[in-house]
Coordinates of all heavy atoms in Angstrom, one line a residue:
P403 N 16.5 -87.7 43.6 CA 16.6 -88.2 42.2 C 16.9 -89.7 42.2 O 17.4 -90.2 43.2 CB 17.8 -87.4 41.7 CG 18.7 -87.2 42.9 CD 17.8 -86.9 44.0
P404 N 16.6 -90.4 41.2 CA 16.9 -91.8 41.1 C 18.4 -92.0 41.1 O 19.2 -91.2 40.6 CB 16.3 -92.2 39.8 CG 16.2 -91.0 38.9 CD 15.9 -89.9 39.9
H405 N 18.9 -93.1 41.8 CA 20.3 -93.4 41.9 C 20.8 -93.9 40.5 O 20.2 -94.7 39.9 CB 20.6 -94.4 43.0 CG 22.0 -94.7 43.1 ND1 22.9 -93.8 43.8 CD2 22.8 -95.7 42.7 CE1 24.1 -94.3 43.9 NE2 24.1 -95.4 43.2
T406 N 22.0 -93.4 40.1 CA 22.6 -93.8 38.9 C 24.1 -94.2 39.2 O 24.6 -93.8 40.2 CB 22.5 -92.7 37.8 OG1 23.4 -91.6 38.2 CG2 21.1 -92.2 37.6
E407 N 24.7 -94.7 38.2 CA 26.1 -95.1 38.3 C 27.0 -93.8 38.4 O 28.2 -93.9 38.9 CB 26.6 -95.9 37.2 CG 26.0 -97.4 37.1 CD 26.5 -98.2 36.0 OE1 27.3 -97.6 35.2 OE2 26.1 -99.4 35.9
A408 N 26.5 -92.7 37.9 CA 27.3 -91.5 38.0 C 27.4 -90.9 39.5 O 28.3 -90.1 39.7 CB 26.6 -90.4 37.1
H409 N 26.5 -91.4 40.3 CA 26.6 -90.9 41.7 C 27.8 -91.5 42.5 O 28.1 -92.6 42.2 CB 25.3 -91.3 42.5 CG 24.0 -90.6 42.0 ND1 22.9 -90.6 42.7 CD2 23.8 -89.7 41.0 CE1 21.9 -89.9 42.1 NE2 22.5 -89.3 41.0
T410 N 28.3 -90.7 43.3 CA 29.5 -91.1 44.1 C 29.2 -90.8 45.6 O 28.4 -90.0 45.9 CB 30.8 -90.4 43.6 OG1 31.9 -91.0 44.2 CG2 30.8 -88.9 43.9
V411 N 30.0 -91.5 46.4 CA 29.9 -91.3 47.8 C 30.8 -90.3 48.4 O 32.0 -90.3 48.0 CB 30.1 -92.7 48.6 CG1 30.0 -92.5 50.0 CG2 29.1 -93.7 48.1
V412 N 30.3 -89.3 49.2 CA 31.1 -88.4 49.9 C 30.8 -88.5 51.4 O 30.0 -89.3 51.8 CB 30.9 -86.9 49.3 CG1 31.3 -86.8 47.9 CG2 29.4 -86.5 49.5
G413 N 31.4 -87.6 52.2 CA 31.2 -87.6 53.6 C 29.8 -87.3 54.0 O 29.4 -87.6 55.2
T414 N 29.0 -86.7 53.2 CA 27.7 -86.3 53.5 C 26.7 -87.2 52.7 O 26.8 -87.2 51.5 CB 27.3 -84.9 53.1 OG1 28.2 -84.0 53.8 CG2 25.9 -84.5 53.4
P415 N 25.8 -88.0 53.4 CA 24.9 -88.8 52.6 C 23.8 -88.0 51.9 O 23.5 -86.9 52.4 CB 24.3 -89.7 53.7 CG 24.7 -89.2 55.0 CD 25.7 -88.2 54.8
P416 N 23.3 -88.4 50.8 CA 22.2 -87.6 50.1 C 21.1 -87.4 51.1 O 20.6 -88.2 51.8 CB 21.8 -88.6 49.0 CG 23.0 -89.4 48.7 CD 23.7 -89.6 50.1
G417 N 20.6 -86.1 51.1 CA 19.5 -85.7 52.0 C 20.0 -85.1 53.2 O 19.2 -84.4 53.9
A418 N 21.2 -85.2 53.6 CA 21.7 -84.6 54.9 C 22.3 -83.2 54.6 O 22.6 -82.9 53.5 CB 22.8 -85.5 55.4
P419 N 22.4 -82.4 55.7 CA 22.9 -81.1 55.5 C 24.4 -81.1 55.1 O 25.2 -81.9 55.6 CB 22.8 -80.4 56.9 CG 21.7 -81.2 57.6 CD 21.9 -82.6 57.1
V420 N 24.8 -80.2 54.2 CA 26.2 -80.3 53.7 C 27.1 -79.6 54.8 O 26.7 -78.9 55.6 CB 26.3 -79.5 52.4 CG1 25.6 -80.2 51.3 CG2 25.8 -78.0 52.6
T421 N 28.4 -80.0 54.7 CA 29.4 -79.4 55.6 C 29.7 -78.0 55.1 O 29.7 -77.7 53.9 CB 30.7 -80.3 55.5 OG1 30.4 -81.6 55.9 CG2 31.8 -79.7 56.4
D422 N 29.9 -77.1 56.1 CA 30.1 -75.7 55.8 C 31.5 -75.4 55.4 O 32.3 -74.9 56.3 CB 29.6 -74.9 57.0 CG 29.6 -73.4 56.7 OD1 29.4 -73.0 55.6 OD2 29.7 -72.6 57.7
V423 N 31.9 -75.7 54.2 CA 33.3 -75.5 53.7 C 33.4 -74.1 53.2 O 32.4 -73.4 52.9 CB 33.7 -76.6 52.7 CG1 33.7 -77.9 53.3 CG2 32.7 -76.5 51.5
T424 N 34.7 -73.7 53.0 CA 34.9 -72.4 52.3 C 34.8 -72.6 50.8 O 35.3 -73.5 50.2 CB 36.3 -71.9 52.6 OG1 36.4 -71.7 54.0 CG2 36.6 -70.6 51.9
V425 N 34.1 -71.6 50.1 CA 33.8 -71.8 48.7 C 34.2 -70.5 48.0 O 34.3 -69.4 48.6 CB 32.3 -72.1 48.4 CG1 32.0 -73.5 48.9 CG2 31.4 -71.0 49.0
T426 N 34.5 -70.6 46.7 CA 34.8 -69.4 45.8 C 33.8 -69.4 44.7 O 33.5 -70.3 44.0 CB 36.3 -69.6 45.3 OG1 37.2 -69.8 46.3 CG2 36.7 -68.4 44.4
A427 N 33.3 -68.2 44.4 CA 32.4 -67.9 43.3 C 33.2 -67.6 42.1 O 34.4 -67.2 42.2 CB 31.5 -66.8 43.7
P428 N 32.6 -67.7 40.9 CA 33.3 -67.4 39.7 C 33.9 -66.0 39.6 O 34.9 -65.7 38.9 CB 32.3 -67.6 38.6 CG 31.4 -68.6 39.2 CD 31.3 -68.3 40.6
D429 N 33.3 -65.0 40.4 CA 33.9 -63.7 40.4 C 35.1 -63.5 41.3 O 35.7 -62.5 41.4 CB 32.8 -62.7 40.7 CG 32.3 -62.8 42.1 OD1 32.7 -63.7 42.9 OD2 31.4 -62.1 42.5
G430 N 35.5 -64.6 42.0 CA 36.7 -64.6 42.8 C 36.4 -64.4 44.3 O 37.3 -64.5 45.1
T431 N 35.2 -64.0 44.7 CA 34.9 -63.8 46.1 C 34.8 -65.2 46.8 O 34.4 -66.1 46.3 CB 33.6 -63.1 46.2 OG1 32.5 -63.8 45.6 CG2 33.6 -61.7 45.6

Side-chain angles (χ1 to χ4, degrees):
H405 183 78
T406 68
E407 292 183 357
H409 289 189
T410 189
V411 176
V412 296
T414 301
V420 292
T421 302
D422 189 26
V423 296
T424 300
V425 293
T426 302
D429 64 1
T431 59

